[in-house]
Amino acid sequence: MDNSTPAESTGIETEYVLGENNGYVADDPTSVDPSKVSGRKRLSRACDRCRSRKVKCDLRRPTCANCEIRSFDCEFFLPSQKRGRKRKIAFPVHEETSVATVEHRRPSPTASSPSSFPASCDAASTLLSRGDQTSYSSSPGFTKHDAPPGSQRSAIICNLENIINKDDRSQTLVSLATQCVDVFFNCLYPLMPIIYRPKLDSAISQIHNQNSETDNSLLALLTALCAVTIAVLPKNIFAAKAEVAVHFYRASRAILNTYVAGDIEHPDSTSVIIRYLYAEFHHATGRMRSSWHNLGDAIRLCQGMRLHDESSYTHMDHSESELCRRIFFLLFVGDKSASILSNHPVTMGKFSLDSGITVLYPQASGEVDSIPCSNLDPEDDQLNLLTGFMFNYELWRSVYVLLCEIEWLRDRFLVRPGFESSQQHATIADVCRLTELYLGFQTSLDALPSGLQAHPTIPVSSSNLGFKETVSMNRGSKILAIQRANLLVSFQCLRMAVLHAMPALGDSMSQLWSRPNQNPASKDKIDPTVFESAKEVRLRTGESSALLLQKINIAESMLHIVCSCSLDDLRINGESCVAKIRFIGATMLELIDNNPNSPLVRTAQKFRDSYPRILAQLDSKTSDSVY
């Protein structure tokens, strides 16, 4: 689900403390107006959307004008920001200790359920009452030596149960977790098939039965999955409140902290998956630096387990090896996406993996990976959920190899002050290899099954721009629609990334060809005058018309693809899908600004307003921060 960076703290997450919740909802009679508590009159309070976008809010109820125009929910959940020096409200969480402190409140008899842990809450929790504040933090009363992990776990689960029950008296932790798991497998599993459902069912059963022998790693996995499901999916698909996702995430981090030292020393597939889910949660909430940090944690565990090497799988059982294979390929794609879209360094490249990538592809397992669809082409009888998953890997692998070759050639021919280049001319072999890699990337999706191919027949213009109407479809058709949107949007984005890299390569090579006293070109060398003339034209008139035309063609193809997808399918693909669409729109704006004299600018201007309108509909947290 692959990588525009909002301004935020870059510190490593070692504190999992939920800050003071001073959010005031005007229409909620149970909430407390912060202005009355502080004794100072607060004249106005902008809604969450207007605050994050730093625009004026008209405070209209039940929804302000800005949220009404963009079809957003007008909410007031963000805490108010106080002036002056901040007070410390909780102790930080360290590896040695992590205990949940929960609100001093017993669940009401009408809200109690078999999964509410009433006894363990009294025995294992240090209770803290600060209005609506709930923090997962260490406490002087509990340390690693005087509080067993079971007591800490029980306190965390009890606290989470109280939060969910307080928000909705009819809801319990077990029922909400079950809903999250069901929705995850219906919507998000096609993009990240890295969850073994029996593990989650076991964790839910242990919570329901108040099992004292509950596996902490399964609880951390379950709560992390719930956080991602609520944060990523739009409310018309899953109506859980966004702040509940934060509580699930913080509970997962607190549970992980009870066994984190041993987990790092002896990781398994669950260890890597939990960190990847944390990265997805931060990505969905617009915290890109935190997302990159957690993705790095997952990658380091993956590299320590040597999941790129097939020989590392010999000691694993079948289910564990399948999960490890899948998480490796998903991390590979996430690493390349973060590099291309967010300019992060590549950490899972061919130069960092000593033995290369020898791991075999995963195999489909059972009904969960099948695609039940009656209208499939007869030639696609072998189609399953992993087909699109592995095509996505092949797409990112091919563009990674191509961009590595471009960068290698660019460094080889780039003239730097005080250094001599090792080669004076590009050889025919260089160009042939580059051409071969480029064709490999361009044809990487040619073998897609018909169910994953695009059929863009919708005319697109700024006046009739819209999305495909959401219709009810069976599970197989839904899986294909979600994976199709991911593959085709990614392909157009990567085509544009390759076009950005090509001119930089040509400029670097032409620097050497413009130097005097060159040796005569032999028969296997490329005539530099061709590139010199092309560079001169570019310096005088801007980018070549052929290059501009290709960029415009990609932008138009992207619009066709976006409009052939339903809005829900695009939203399910998350912030990575938004980043790819935003990249194309930004390229069009850059093209218009940098080439005012080109006759193709008029064609590009047709798309100037289309991409901002699409981004406004996708409800992107990162776009709100950027714009």
Side-chain angles (χ1 to χ4, degrees):
M1 236 245 29
D2 303 308
N3 6 186
S4 66
T5 302
E8 62 180 4
S9 173
T10 59
I12 296 177
E13 282 191 60
T14 56
E15 296 191 21
Y16 314 126
V17 181
L18 181 60
E20 189 172 4
N21 183 5
N22 294 325
Y24 169 59
V25 183
D27 296 333
D28 187 357
T30 64
S31 61
V32 181
D33 189 343
S35 63
K36 296 179 180 180
V37 176
S38 63
R40 294 163 51 185
K41 184 176 180 181
R42 181 179 290 271
L43 298 179
S44 64
R45 162 84 186 267
C47 70
D48 293 350
R49 290 283 177 184
C50 294
R51 287 181 65 191
S52 62
R53 298 176 63 236
K54 293 182 173 61
V55 297
K56 186 175 181 180
C57 181
D58 61 6
L59 301 176
R60 195 176 65 186
R61 298 292 178 271
T63 178
C64 70
N66 294 328
C67 293
E68 183 177 11
I69 292 173
R70 294 169 174 79
S71 301
F72 292 153
D73 293 328
C74 195
E75 299 173 333
F76 291 80
F77 294 124
L78 292 178
S80 59
Q81 297 179 354
K82 297 181 179 180
R83 297 179 180 272
R85 190 174 180 179
K86 296 182 179 180
R87 296 182 303 167
K88 294 183 179 179
I89 59 174
F91 295 91
V93 174
H94 302 286
E95 287 188 6
E96 291 80 5
T97 173
S98 174
V99 181
T101 57
V102 299
E103 183 185 12
H104 188 44
R105 179 179 67 86
R106 288 178 178 270
S108 64
T110 58
S112 298
S113 68
S115 62
S116 59
F117 288 92
S120 59
C121 287
D122 295 337
S125 300
T126 298
L127 304 178
L128 177 66
S129 178
R130 278 183 64 92
D132 289 333
Q133 175 185 333
T134 304
S135 62
Y136 297 95
S137 61
S138 60
S139 171
F142 282 147
T143 67
K144 180 178 179 180
H145 301 287
D146 56 17
S151 299
Q152 301 179 43
R153 178 183 63 243
S154 299
I156 295 168
I157 295 300
C158 178
N159 187 28
L160 190 58
E161 175 80 30
N162 288 341
I163 293 170
I164 294 172
N165 183 251
K166 181 178 180 180
D167 183 67
D168 184 355
R169 294 285 182 178
S170 63
Q171 190 75 273
T172 65
L173 174 58
V174 168
S175 62
L176 182 56
T178 303
Q179 293 175 28
C180 289
V181 172
D182 291 339
V183 175
F184 175 88
F185 276 91
N186 288 335
C187 298
L188 297 179
Y189 185 77
L191 300 174
M192 41 179 132
I194 54 175
I195 302 297
Y196 186 51
R197 177 142 194 177
K199 289 186 176 182
L200 300 180
D201 294 338
S202 175
I204 294 175
S205 176
Q206 290 170 356
I207 295 175
H208 180 76
N209 297 326
Q210 306 179 33
N211 191 341
S212 60
E213 300 299 325
T214 303
D215 187 343
N216 282 357
S217 65
L218 295 185
L219 286 180
L221 176 65
L222 175 64
T223 47
L225 179 138
C226 293
V228 170
T229 302
I230 298 172
V232 171
L233 295 180
K235 288 192 173 181
N236 62 310
I237 296 179
F238 194 39
K241 292 184 178 180
E243 66 270 20
V244 177
V246 177
H247 291 302
F248 269 115
Y249 166 74
R250 294 183 181 277
S252 181
R253 296 305 301 243
I255 295 172
L256 175 63
N257 245 29
T258 64
Y259 68 98
V260 65
D263 192 55
I264 293 175
E265 291 296 327
H266 306 285
D268 58 8
S269 62
T270 303
S271 309
V272 185
I273 293 169
I274 289 173
R275 272 75 171 187
Y276 179 81
L277 292 176
Y278 291 164
E280 283 295 318
F281 171 80
H282 286 303
H283 203 187
T285 54
R287 301 180 63 190
M288 309 306 289
R289 295 178 182 176
S290 297
S291 176
W292 168 245
H293 170 73
N294 284 279
L295 183 65
D297 287 343
I299 290 174
R300 283 185 288 274
L301 289 178
C302 176
Q303 291 174 328
M305 297 170 67
R306 297 185 59 81
L307 297 185
H308 61 280
D309 188 354
E310 179 61 29
S311 63
S312 302
Y313 293 81
T314 56
H315 67 282
M316 302 180 187
D317 60 38
H318 177 71
S319 60
E320 176 71 8
S321 65
E322 283 297 311
L323 290 176
C324 286
R325 296 178 198 276
R326 298 182 186 196
I327 190 60
F328 169 79
F329 290 116
L330 193 59
L331 288 174
F332 182 93
V333 171
D335 180 54
K336 305 307 171 292
S337 176
S339 174
I340 294 174
L341 298 180
S342 300
N343 203 29
H344 288 298
V346 173
T347 56
M348 293 185 72
K350 60 182 180 181
F351 301 110
S352 58
L353 303 177
D354 51 2
S355 60
I357 298 175
T358 61
V359 57
L360 300 178
Y361 285 2
Q363 302 296 319
S365 57
E367 183 179 353
V368 69
D369 292 334
S370 64
I371 299 183
C373 190
S374 58
N375 56 353
L376 285 177
D377 193 299
E379 297 181 358
D380 298 338
D381 57 342
Q382 301 297 322
L383 180 64
N384 56 62
L385 185 143
L386 291 186
T387 304
F389 178 74
M390 294 312 301
F391 263 108
N392 189 49
Y393 163 74
E394 287 293 341
L395 172 64
W396 286 90
R397 184 199 62 79
S398 62
V399 77
Y400 165 67
V401 175
L402 174 59
L403 292 175
C404 281
E405 182 72 13
I406 292 174
E407 186 64 21
W408 180 70
L409 288 174
R410 181 175 179 272
D411 286 344
R412 204 171 84 192
F413 292 104
L414 184 63
V415 178
R416 297 182 177 89
F419 293 89
E420 288 292 332
S421 177
S422 60
Q423 188 166 336
Q424 297 292 320
H425 298 278
T427 65
I428 293 178
D430 292 333
V431 177
C432 287
R433 172 164 173 75
L434 191 62
T435 303
E436 180 182 355
L437 294 175
Y438 180 75
L439 292 177
F441 161 68
Q442 283 289 100
T443 59
S444 59
L445 298 184
D446 284 2
L448 276 178
S450 60
L452 292 172
Q453 293 178 2
H455 306 283
T457 58
I458 304 174
V460 176
S461 67
S462 57
S463 58
N464 69 351
L465 182 66
F467 300 93
K468 180 181 178 181
E469 184 178 353
T470 302
V471 295
S472 177
M473 56 180 67
N474 60 31
R475 178 177 177 271
S477 299
K478 186 67 174 178
I479 290 173
L480 294 176
I482 294 171
Q483 290 188 337
R484 184 190 308 119
N486 179 41
L487 286 168
L488 300 179
V489 169
S490 297
F491 181 61
Q492 300 302 328
C493 172
L494 296 178
R495 286 181 63 196
M496 189 70 80
V498 171
L499 286 185
H500 276 279
M502 285 293 193
L505 172 63
D507 287 350
S508 298
M509 296 169 74
S510 63
Q511 290 185 47
L512 280 175
W513 295 328
S514 62
R515 297 170 62 190
N517 301 325
Q518 295 181 3
N519 296 326
S522 60
K523 61 180 181 180
D524 62 335
K525 301 295 193 301
I526 304 299
D527 184 3
T529 58
V530 177
F531 295 91
E532 272 301 301
S533 60
K535 181 185 178 184
E536 184 178 354
V537 170
R538 184 181 177 196
L539 291 175
R540 291 183 178 181
T541 64
E543 292 181 313
S544 69
S545 296
L547 186 63
L548 296 180
L549 192 60
Q550 287 189 43
K551 291 184 176 181
I552 293 173
N553 176 262
I554 292 173
E556 186 172 13
S557 298
M558 178 69 91
L559 284 181
H560 280 292
I561 290 168
V562 169
C563 293
S564 66
C565 300
S566 71
L567 187 58
D568 285 346
D569 292 339
L570 295 172
R571 285 177 173 175
I572 288 172
N573 275 276
E575 288 293 325
S576 61
C577 179
V578 177
K580 296 163 190 172
I581 298 172
R582 188 192 304 115
F583 176 61
I584 303 295
T587 301
M588 284 296 97
L589 295 178
E590 183 182 15
L591 185 152
I592 294 171
D593 290 340
N594 295 344
N595 303 273
N597 299 324
S598 174
L600 295 174
V601 169
R602 181 176 298 179
T603 305
Q605 286 177 338
K606 295 190 304 182
F607 311 123
R608 181 176 55 188
D609 299 328
S610 300
Y611 281 92
R613 289 178 58 188
I614 291 173
L615 294 173
Q617 292 293 321
L618 289 179
D619 192 14
S620 166
K621 308 295 188 302
T622 304
S623 293
D624 289 342
S625 300
V626 173
Y627 299 115

